[in-house]
Amino acid sequence: MNIRLAKNSDGETVIQLVSDLMIGLDFPEFDGRNLGKIFMGLVEGGNHGFVMLAESDETIRGICTVSFVVSLRTRGVYGIVQEMYILPELRGQRIGAQMLEAALEYAQSVGCIMVEVGTPPEGRRQSKFYKRVGFKRFGDRYRYRFENQSV
């Protein structure tokens, strides 16, 4: 398995995998169209974040997107894992752990103080995974959604 940063030409596949993730998390109304600009903001090396990929045979098998946030409490930039997805038939083979470890290493190399992640409300499997790779539980995440805004 090859772990690497995404490049411009990966956009269509990455957006499709994010759509698959959202449908799997029971967000069937998710619309992956018109996400190219957001993807490019993550890939073009700016201060938005990055996308790490797992691929074999030149086919993308998993994605991990990390957004950058600046805060006073962390005294600088930190990362948030926004999307993490491995093709279902490949889960349990340490591909996600390898990809996440590469993402953490890259985040640190570009100055992140730490990386946070949230899990779905019923995310026992996800919680076990993140604990296994070294994340520690710290509180709960709450959302405020503006009216007329979809996920």
Side-chain angles (χ1 to χ4, degrees):
M1 192 64 56
N2 180 40
I3 308 296
R4 66 172 176 84
L5 288 169
K7 54 188 181 226
N8 296 353
S9 60
D10 297 319
E12 187 176 317
T13 303
V14 168
I15 291 168
Q16 181 58 57
L17 291 175
V18 169
S19 295
D20 294 348
L21 168 66
M22 297 305 290
I23 289 167
L25 291 174
D26 206 20
F27 289 96
E29 74 280 358
F30 181 79
D31 185 354
R33 291 177 294 183
N34 302 318
L35 295 180
K37 185 176 180 181
I38 297 168
F39 173 78
M40 294 306 283
L42 291 170
V43 171
E44 291 181 340
N47 56 2
H48 295 291
F50 63 93
V51 180
M52 192 66 65
L53 304 177
E55 71 176 356
S56 64
D57 301 322
E58 298 182 19
T59 301
I60 297 171
R61 311 294 184 171
I63 59 165
C64 176
T65 67
V66 177
S67 296
F68 296 146
V69 179
V70 175
S71 76
L72 296 171
R73 69 182 169 89
T74 61
R75 297 184 174 140
V77 177
Y78 71 98
I80 300 177
V81 174
Q82 299 290 359
E83 291 98 11
M84 178 79 176
Y85 184 76
I86 303 295
L87 294 174
E89 64 271 18
L90 298 176
R91 293 179 187 158
Q93 299 179 27
R94 287 207 27 86
I95 296 167
Q98 291 172 22
M99 188 171 52
L100 186 58
E101 288 165 7
L104 292 172
E105 185 177 305
Y106 183 77
Q108 184 178 29
S109 78
V110 296
C112 286
I113 306 298
M114 67 177 182
V115 174
E116 292 182 345
V117 66
T119 59
E122 300 298 322
R124 288 188 196 102
R125 180 177 52 84
Q126 294 91 338
S127 292
K128 285 181 184 178
F129 167 76
Y130 288 113
K131 286 178 185 176
R132 209 170 32 249
V133 296
F135 282 77
K136 308 253 185 291
R137 185 164 188 253
F138 189 80
D140 293 316
R141 183 177 284 188
Y142 296 86
R143 281 192 184 141
Y144 182 92
R145 188 166 308 192
F146 296 103
E147 289 185 37
N148 301 321
Q149 296 296 315
S150 62
V151 179

